[in-house]
């Protein structure tokens, strides 16, 4: 089942890939609000489980133990949708994202192919923290958007992009 709050910016999916999946989202740049909403919901779930005599399984070595192996670790999967038409015309964005510790997917609509709309997300979940993940996404996306803005202004970013790809 899928459940949501009244604002429809927090969704809880039960028994799909994992026993519980929480999604916090909104249009815009307020990552703090998105993360805070998710953290409060997660803490509320943990508290309710403890009140019923259960707990979320956690390993010091592996992080949170979940049923979907790709979510092992923090279980945090953060993603942002950004437009990179100039950067995607100049370089291979998925390869560049991998060098920045991110993954990316060109969204699959005809509009996305024209305006370079990518979903950019964290690549690591094991042996890291939620704060490191969020900071990595924000830092990587800011770097991508800075290159995009400079390209839109007609500036050359080839040397910086090549240096990032070579790193």
């Amino acid at each position: 089942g899928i459940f949501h709050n009244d604002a429809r910016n927090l969704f809880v999916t039960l028994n799909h890939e994992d026993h519980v999946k929480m999604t916090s989202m909104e249009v815009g740049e307020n990552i703090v609000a998105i993360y805070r909403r998710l953290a409060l919901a997660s803490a509320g779930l943990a508290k309710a489980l403890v009140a019923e005599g259960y707990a979320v399984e956690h390993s010091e070595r592996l992080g949170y133990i979940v049923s979907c192996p790709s979510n092992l670790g923090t279980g945090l999967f953060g993603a942002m949708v950004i437009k990179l038409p100039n950067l995607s015309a100049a370089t291979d964005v998925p390869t560049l994202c991998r060098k920045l510790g991110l993954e990316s997917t060109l969204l699959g609509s005809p509009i996305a192919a024209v305006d370079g709309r990518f979903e950019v997300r964290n690549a690591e979940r094991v042996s890291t923290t939620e704060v490191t993940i969020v900071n990595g996404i924000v830092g990587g996306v800011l770097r991508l958007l800075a290159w995009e803005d400079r390209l839109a202004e007609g500036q050359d970013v080839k040397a910086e992009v090549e240096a990032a790809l070579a790193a």
Side-chain angles (χ1 to χ4, degrees):
I2 301 174
F3 304 89
H4 60 79
N5 64 354
D6 290 339
R8 293 181 182 249
N9 58 11
L10 179 68
F11 298 85
V12 178
T13 306
L14 300 176
N15 299 321
H16 183 254
E17 289 176 347
D18 276 319
H19 300 299
V20 178
K21 174 184 174 184
M22 294 183 183
T23 304
S24 177
M25 59 190 222
E26 64 184 61
V27 175
E29 303 169 355
N30 195 348
I31 295 168
V32 172
I34 294 166
Y35 183 75
R36 182 176 292 131
R37 184 180 317 113
L38 181 65
L40 288 171
S42 180
L45 174 63
K47 184 177 178 180
L49 286 171
V50 168
E52 293 293 321
Y54 301 99
V56 177
E57 190 66 31
H58 187 268
S59 161
E60 286 299 318
R61 185 172 68 88
L62 299 173
Y64 289 100
I65 308 299
V66 294
S67 58
C68 182
S70 68
N71 291 332
L72 188 68
T74 70
L76 180 64
F77 173 87
M80 298 176 82
V81 175
I82 57 175
K83 292 181 183 179
L84 303 170
N86 297 299
L87 191 59
S88 62
T91 192
D92 180 27
V93 171
T95 300
L96 183 58
C97 283
R98 280 192 296 278
K99 291 292 187 170
L100 297 175
L102 303 170
E103 296 175 343
S104 68
T105 305
L106 181 64
L107 296 181
S109 71
I111 294 171
V114 172
D115 71 4
R117 196 173 304 178
F118 288 84
E119 179 185 82
V120 179
R121 58 197 170 276
N122 58 296
E124 297 296 325
R125 292 188 227 5
V126 178
S127 300
T128 190
T129 67
E130 290 84 357
V131 171
T132 301
I133 288 172
V134 172
N135 287 339
I137 295 167
V138 170
V141 166
L142 288 175
R143 200 164 173 196
L144 293 168
L145 291 174
W147 286 325
E148 177 63 29
D149 289 345
R150 289 177 51 210
L151 284 168
E153 294 170 356
Q155 296 179 24
D156 183 17
V157 299
K158 184 177 181 180
E160 290 177 44
V161 170
E162 287 178 356
L165 287 168

